[in-house]
Amino acid sequence: MIIDVHNHPDWYGYNLERFLDNMKQYNIDKTWLLSWECPATEYNPEYIKHIPDPDKPNGPISFERCAAYKEQAPDKFILGYAPDPRLPDAIDKLDHAIRLYDVKVYGELKLRMMYDNPDALRLYRFCGEKGLPVLVHIDYEFDTGSTYPRPNWWYGGGIGAFERAVQACPETVFIGHAPGFWAHISGDDQYNKTAYPTGPVLPGGLVSEMLRSYPNLYCDISAGSGCNALARDREFAKQFLIEFQDRIMYGRDYFDNVHQQLLESLDLPKTVLDKIYYQNALKLIPE
């Protein structure tokens, strides 16, 4: 069995038919289907050619699209929804979606705010009460060389703000993702200089330290960031995946197969692969 814990509807031109065909092609049994609710002023306009709802207030990837996929293929999708915590009705909207649509994940949270702000903490604690894991995207601030529409595209406020949130909400499961999370697999100083660090992984990486310190922290290996973090030092990657085999999950955030190819190339025990491919996801969201 394989569960993709990170993907989006109508993303990069993949409609439902292409999405299901792609899952079948790569032997993926279920997908966690995540919304992305973010003000248009907070994401790079270059995304517009890849996202379905750039003009909607609940875009750029609306929860309505997630719900429509689930309605048409109920056995294939687990619903995720992440209303903006800064809005006064965020918890009510999420509660309504849980009761009406059976939402199981709060995600993807990808906003230009500190992830430990009081409104966000209140929402995370609600998720903990309801049994919803919280999946976050972190990006650091880089100099892009431009001024408008934004000089950069940071999300979350860095690993420090995320760690404070994980620590403040021990009853809530958090799932780390994206360049600003995975760059900290290494103890080097590249995390705030490039989205995809290279070279051997050095001791002292905060991802490992946080996984050892916080039993409520999980991570998904989706996107180029997760793949890069493991591929940059394959010897370390194997040790890392074995040590944290109970809290690492397979995800893609796209429609290729590079993550499966990487995992299969590391000569991991089948017991470890099974946990990463599906057992850890089922532990969080039993089916």
Side-chain angles (χ1 to χ4, degrees), residues 246-285:
D246 294 317
R247 283 185 285 148
I248 297 171
M249 296 183 293
Y250 169 80
R252 296 192 299 162
D253 203 12
Y254 195 59
F255 300 95
D256 56 21
N257 201 40
V258 295
H259 301 87
Q260 284 189 42
Q261 292 169 355
L262 177 61
L263 289 172
E264 298 295 337
S265 73
L266 293 175
D267 193 29
L268 292 163
K270 184 177 184 301
T271 53
V272 174
L273 283 173
D274 285 345
K275 289 179 180 179
I276 295 171
Y277 275 139
Y278 73 96
Q279 290 176 359
N280 292 335
L282 289 178
K283 181 169 60 175
L284 296 185
I285 303 175

Side-chain angles (χ1 to χ4, degrees), residues 4 7-11 14-24 31 33 69 77 252 255:
D4 177 357
N7 228 318
H8 305 280
D10 300 329
W11 174 239
Y14 278 78
N15 60 17
L16 177 60
E17 182 180 2
R18 292 188 67 198
F19 201 122
L20 292 173
D21 287 345
N22 181 264
M23 288 176 63
K24 184 177 181 180
T31 296
L33 203 62
Y69 271 41
F77 299 110
R252 296 192 299 162
F255 300 95

Side-chain angles (χ1 to χ4, degrees), residues 52-115:
D53 301 306
D55 300 322
K56 290 186 177 181
N58 60 349
I61 304 175
S62 66
F63 173 68
E64 286 84 348
R65 291 183 182 269
C66 300
Y69 271 41
K70 176 74 171 179
E71 183 177 3
Q72 296 174 81
D75 296 333
K76 290 297 183 181
F77 299 110
I78 305 297
L79 287 181
Y81 176 37
D84 187 334
R86 297 168 296 187
L87 300 178
D89 60 350
I91 290 177
D92 290 338
K93 288 166 66 177
L94 181 58
D95 188 38
H96 179 75
I98 293 169
R99 290 184 283 111
L100 190 60
Y101 297 102
D102 198 27
V103 164
K104 299 287 190 181
V105 185
Y106 180 78
E108 178 179 5
L109 178 62
K110 185 177 180 181
L111 293 168
R112 291 170 71 89
M113 68 175 201
M114 303 298 286
Y115 283 166

